Amino acid sequence: MWHSTSKYRKTIWQCNHKFDGDEKCTTPHLDEDTIRKLFVKAVNILLTEKDEIIENFHAIKDMFFDLRPLETEWSQLQEELNVVTELKQQCIKENARIALDRKEYRKRYDGLAMRLDRVQGRLDEVSRTITEKQVHREKIELFLDGLQKQKELVTEFDEDLWYSLIEYVTVFDKEDIRFTFKDGTEISLHIKFVYT
């Protein structure tokens, strides 16, 4: 905060790495009031495209967020994991019961262990992808719900609207400040928008 103890107090945002190392970040600092005004402009631009954004999402959501192929693969991998786990256990029991050739046993055991690791790795990857898709869909649906509820253009900054719509803001310079919304829409503005 600049002038934090005076009546001219201002909240200023700057790059976290502005003063790191030998190479200083050249991204300009912005005061919070400017960011808020730019946000209002970005939201109003977004609202002019609201119906198209909502319509596009509904047109692709079933295809883009279809989990059936992943869920089928997950089930198949889970079955394979169970089978390979059982084969590995049988291999261990058989070796305990009967004195098997060490090299043959080691080769068989290592092959099953590698297969188990490979299947488990893919199962983890598929599980992660399913979760990511579910979270992404939920995030976009919440975004669209917030967008749908906004019936008129925004006249002042609304913190709830910020949290429901914005994914992040990237400042490249005063001519290129990008608001990335939770559906992936990106709107680029510059400081002059604040003063028009």
Side-chain angles (χ1 to χ4, degrees):
M1 297 222 195
W2 289 5
H3 308 288
S4 63
T5 57
S6 77
K7 65 180 181 178
Y8 303 107
R9 179 181 174 180
K10 257 187 176 180
T11 302
I12 303 295
W13 292 87
Q14 67 186 24
C15 176
N16 290 338
H17 306 288
K18 185 122 180 126
F19 302 107
D20 287 356
D22 294 334
E23 208 168 303
K24 308 295 184 216
C25 177
T26 58
T27 304
H29 63 269
L30 295 173
D31 65 88
E32 193 163 304
D33 189 48
T34 300
I35 294 170
R36 288 175 175 215
K37 286 176 182 175
L38 287 168
F39 168 71
V40 168
K41 292 274 187 187
V43 168
N44 286 334
I45 291 169
L46 186 76
L47 288 172
T48 62
E49 301 167 6
K50 173 172 83 170
D51 294 336
E52 183 181 340
I53 290 169
I54 293 169
E55 187 178 309
N56 287 343
F57 174 74
H58 289 300
I60 65 154
K61 73 177 179 181
D62 291 334
M63 181 185 69
F64 188 74
F65 294 108
D66 184 11
L67 297 177
R68 288 175 297 189
L70 287 168
E71 289 168 343
T72 299
E73 183 180 1
W74 187 91
S75 295
Q76 291 168 344
L77 288 165
Q78 189 61 55
E79 279 181 37
E80 185 177 355
L81 189 72
N82 294 339
V83 168
V84 176
T85 301
E86 181 60 34
L87 289 172
K88 187 177 167 189
Q89 291 302 320
Q90 286 175 6
C91 180
I92 293 168
K93 287 176 187 174
E94 185 179 340
N95 186 50
R97 251 188 10 235
I98 305 166
L100 297 174
D101 177 61
R102 277 320 288 150
K103 281 186 177 180
E104 186 60 36
Y105 168 73
R106 193 84 220 143
K107 182 180 175 185
R108 196 166 136 206
Y109 179 86
D110 288 348
L112 289 168
M114 282 176 46
R115 184 174 169 197
L116 194 62
D117 288 346
R118 189 176 62 249
V119 172
Q120 184 64 60
R122 180 62 186 153
L123 186 64
D124 292 345
E125 188 180 319
V126 169
S127 295
R128 218 175 9 262
T129 303
I130 288 171
T131 301
E132 287 168 1
K133 280 192 170 223
Q134 289 169 330
V135 168
H136 190 207
R137 181 178 181 144
E138 187 176 307
K139 183 172 70 171
I140 290 178
E141 285 175 341
L142 287 171
F143 162 82
L144 292 174
D145 186 52
L147 193 62
Q148 187 72 45
K149 287 178 181 173
Q150 193 62 40
K151 300 296 182 196
E152 51 194 49
L153 294 179
V154 178
T155 56
E156 61 185 40
F157 180 80
D158 180 332
E159 194 169 322
D160 291 336
L161 202 55
W162 173 277
Y163 288 117
S164 69
L165 299 181
I166 288 290
E167 185 72 20
Y168 56 87
V169 179
T170 309
V171 178
F172 292 98
D173 57 45
K174 290 188 178 194
E175 298 299 314
D176 190 4
I177 300 163
R178 296 182 196 168
F179 288 80
T180 303
F181 292 89
K182 290 186 178 181
D183 73 328
T185 300
E186 188 176 273
I187 295 177
S188 182
L189 299 173
H190 50 81
I191 298 292
K192 293 176 193 166
F193 275 116
V194 171
Y195 305 106
T196 57

